[in-house]
Amino acid sequence: MTTIEYNHIVKKAQGRFNGGIHPTECKTLSNQQAIQSLPLPNFLILPVQQNIGQPGEIICQVGDEVSQGQLLVDNTEVFGANIHAPLAGKIIAIDQYPTNHPSGLPQTCLKIKTAKQQVSTELFSPINWQQVEPQQLLERIKLAGIVGLGGAAFPTHVKLAAQPINTLIVNAMECEPYITCDDRLLQEQSQQVIQGALISAKIVNAKEIIFATEDNKPDAIKQLSQCIKQIKSEVTIKIIVAPTKYPSGGEKQTIELVTGKQLPKGKLPASMGLLVQNVATLFAVYQAVNKGMPLTSRLVTLTGNQIKTPGNYWIPFGTTIESIMQHFDISDFTNQPVVMGGPLMGQPIFNYQAPVTKATNCLIFNIAATDEKMWLTQSTQHQPCIRCGECDKACPVDLLPQQLFWFSQSDQWDNLENQGLFDCIECGACAYVCPSEIPLVHYYRYGKSSIKTIQRNHEKSEKAKKRFEFREMRLARAKEERALKHKKAAEARKKAAQDKKADPTGKQTAINEALARVKAKKSAQNSTNPQPKE
Amino acid sequence: MSLSSPFFHQALSTSKVMLIVCIALLPGIIVQSYFFSYGVLINVFFCSLFAIIAEYFVLYLRKRKPWKIIKDNSALVTGILMGIAIPPTLPLWMSFIGVCFAIIVAKQLYGGLGFNPFNPAMVGYVLLLISFPVEMTSWLPATTITPNVPDFSDSLNLILFSQTSNGDDVEFFRQLADGYTMATPLDFTKTQFTLGLMTSEILTNETLLKSHHAWHLVNLAFLVGGLILLFLKIIRWHIPVAFLSGIILTSYLLYYYDPNLFMPTSFHLTTGATMLGAFFIATDPISASTTPKGRLIYGFLIGFLIVLIRAFGGYPEAVGFAVLLLNLASPTIDHYTKPTIYGHNLEEHANE
Ligand code: SF4
Ligand code: SF4
């Protein structure tokens, strides 16, 4: 086994974060083999929105022949990301299909029948990034449809627009068990990832690039440091190695490990002059800029005890889980969820028709051995909370998970918010250690969504109330003004009658009336409120 | 409930945690029954049995699946703790009342495991102490200092019928060779102080020293069990450490204030239920404070109260009262000792 050599490039992390857990890593299953590809799938189910933010406009039709890399969904929104054809083929349907969307609802997808012959066409011309303006690089990244590939799928061009940035942190922690795609990518494509980092650093004008990783990836660290040594750049590049502990890859935890400081509540990393990017994202940046390739596929860790050859595979977006299962001959896997993402924060997928998307970094095909508690695929009745405090010891953001559980179980929303529910990063460390096996994170998600619904309803009713009050007020004022007018008119009539008696010729009346008119005009000018219209 | 992350889980379960607590109590039980006869074992057995029956009964009435829940072993822990805490000759019907009250009222009426604000074993214990003060303070002398040691059938008969087959009652077994009746060291010192004796005089009393020796060893055995729990990470260090510091500091200050009126620290640490309380009773997590800082305050105040009650209170043993009082305070303690959430204090500074 490789050992880590510490020197002026490779350094130990100075910071630390509270809590955290040490789950079984299960990484050697998949990080020993070189990166591979799968044979072409017969068809793709390509969701038209794969980013956080707004959907884009579909610019193709059923029946269109598309070439690889062709723009299919044009997204000009600020938080938008384009979608390109992962493979050449023919669009055979645009319809609702099941996906991995957290809502569980089907999404609009393009169904593409892939062509037998794949000719790769360059969509963009390669750019020599050293010689162009940052704006042009940013433009390219937006066109290429790049989003954060760590799982959040936040459009990268938006993130790269943050200013001023001093340090670009490359998050290569990959702290979740099973996942090894970043590890493997760094082992094989360090050079390209560093180029991607330098491009990003140029865009945000960062002076320093820090690769942050855990000490369980000695091979990747070795590769990376060798490549860094060869690079000549005024940007300093360093590797900071943290002890392996979950969830060091959480953005807040990474920042604390690297800088020794916590990110103040409600602030973005940019407030500390930091920008955090994921390894795979930087590789995609490199591909888009240097190779002119839009983001149409990604490295996915395929692992679990049901896969005979676990490893990391390049998979075009839209490849269904089913076709992957066919390739690996996974047959006795019925009614079991495939876990998309890691075992601690991943998502169970029961519908194997769901496709790989930009947010998919890992697929785990596991069947629990009987009475094995390490792998939960069935929700069972949990035992009550005994307030043992194991969970608060594990929480990386210093919450009291047992109190959150207590308040969410009894629907005490205010207390739940006061306990910091919205600071919870849903890392699952608490549920992992809970001896009563309470699905704590499930309760927190429930609490969060309940509170959000209540807030929305509250806002709605507040708005309705305001509208109602305003209407009431308006009506009341109109009524008052009408009454005043009538009163005045009545008085005027009375006066006129009296005046007629006193002034039969009407001369005095004419003068009075003229005076009254002047007065009325003046008062109308002074009044800022125009006459209400009913 | 639908399946959601995490899918990983570590192996230790609540049932196991409780079971390990029971096992860690064994050294203490064995030493205690060596010095105080078979009655200890008999009590532990019956109290556990009653606890499980009572739990079954209530769960049955509440239409839960009793066996599934009893498997969490929490009733067993309550039963064993009560069996240890009561005198080795307490009539069985009294233990029955105490255990049933603990399980049915103090635990299940509040909603069962996890919802009880008070430590059930201590509620049962204190109920008995208040209702039957004489029987509850009638401890036997250590077997090492008395000629009248009850054998197994004597103990059983005392517990079941309050007298042995020879017609001897509890008082017979409590008498020492010189005709005095022996009490626990705590009782003994209490009476001696009221008789106007000074600490130095009390501490030279032969019988006290011998009897105290037995309690030394009992406490040592519970300490060993407690350390096992700490080592296995079943309990966390906060409460025991704070509890013992509370005892040490308070007793030291009192003794320093007047060495003639108060017992020294070493006496408080090794007598009565000190170690049992520190590692097995105050650490009951459900009724304790649950924040890291709160646990320290909680433990310290229990230790503090124990010494105060022992020194000034009407009852010689104080663990039960002190624990229940702090159970009452723990929601408040929790409220004021919330840990600082990641990034929170910074935000306040930033706004300043
Ligand atoms: S780990 Fe589980 S049982 Fe223990 S305090 Fe936390 S939620 Fe309760
Ligand atoms: S899921 Fe939330 S409460 Fe639980 S450990 Fe992670 S951050 Fe803390």
Side-chain angles (χ1 to χ4, degrees), chain A residues 391 394-401 404 423-431 440-441 444:
Chain A
C391 49
C395 179
V397 284
D398 295 320
L399 296 170
L400 294 170
L404 292 177
D423 288 280
C424 167
I425 57 170
E426 299 184 14
C427 67
C430 49
L440 293 163
V441 183
Y444 306 154

Side-chain angles (χ1 to χ4, degrees), chain B residues 31-40 88 139-143 214-215 218:
Chain B
V31 176
Q32 192 166 323
S33 49
Y34 173 76
F35 283 113
F36 299 98
S37 81
Y38 294 102
V40 178
W139 273 80
L140 292 179
T143 45
W215 285 101
V218 169

Side-chain angles (χ1 to χ4, degrees), chain B residues 170-241:
Chain B
V170 177
E171 285 312 307
F172 170 78
F173 291 102
R174 297 187 65 211
Q175 265 162 32
L176 300 178
D178 53 11
Y180 278 114
T181 307
M182 183 58 203
T184 63
L186 280 169
D187 280 317
F188 180 77
T189 48
K190 186 130 222 144
T191 358
Q192 299 294 306
F193 276 128
T194 39
L195 292 177
L197 272 77
M198 290 196 302
T199 308
S200 48
E201 293 166 314
I202 299 173
L203 278 177
T204 49
N205 183 309
E206 272 290 312
T207 356
L208 173 79
L209 287 182
K210 274 196 190 149
S211 139
H212 193 197
H213 178 68
W215 285 101
H216 268 318
L217 292 178
V218 169
N219 271 287
L220 190 66
F222 281 119
L223 172 66
V224 168
L227 292 179
I228 293 177
L229 289 190
L230 269 183
F231 179 75
L232 294 177
K233 299 199 171 137
I234 300 290
I235 55 172
R236 290 162 78 176
W237 60 270
H238 305 71
I239 292 177
V241 168

Side-chain angles (χ1 to χ4, degrees), chain A residues 40-42 65-66 87-90 112-118:
Chain A
L40 285 185
N42 290 331
E65 297 277 351
V66 296
L87 296 168
K90 185 175 174 186
I112 303 174
K113 173 121 194 57
T114 48
K116 292 271 161 324
Q117 290 290 312
Q118 293 285 337

Side-chain angles (χ1 to χ4, degrees), chain A residues 387, chain B residues 106 110 116-124 126 239 281-290 297-299 301-302 305 319-334:
Chain A
R387 298 166 78 78
Chain B
Y110 281 104
N116 47 306
F118 297 104
N119 185 326
M122 286 304 103
V123 173
V126 166
I239 292 177
I281 293 174
T283 50
D284 162 44
I286 297 157
S287 50
S289 169
T290 196
I297 298 174
Y298 174 86
L301 288 181
I302 292 181
L305 280 182
V319 174
F321 290 109
V323 166
L324 290 185
L325 274 174
L326 264 293
N327 285 171
L328 198 63
S330 59
T332 318
I333 299 178
D334 286 348

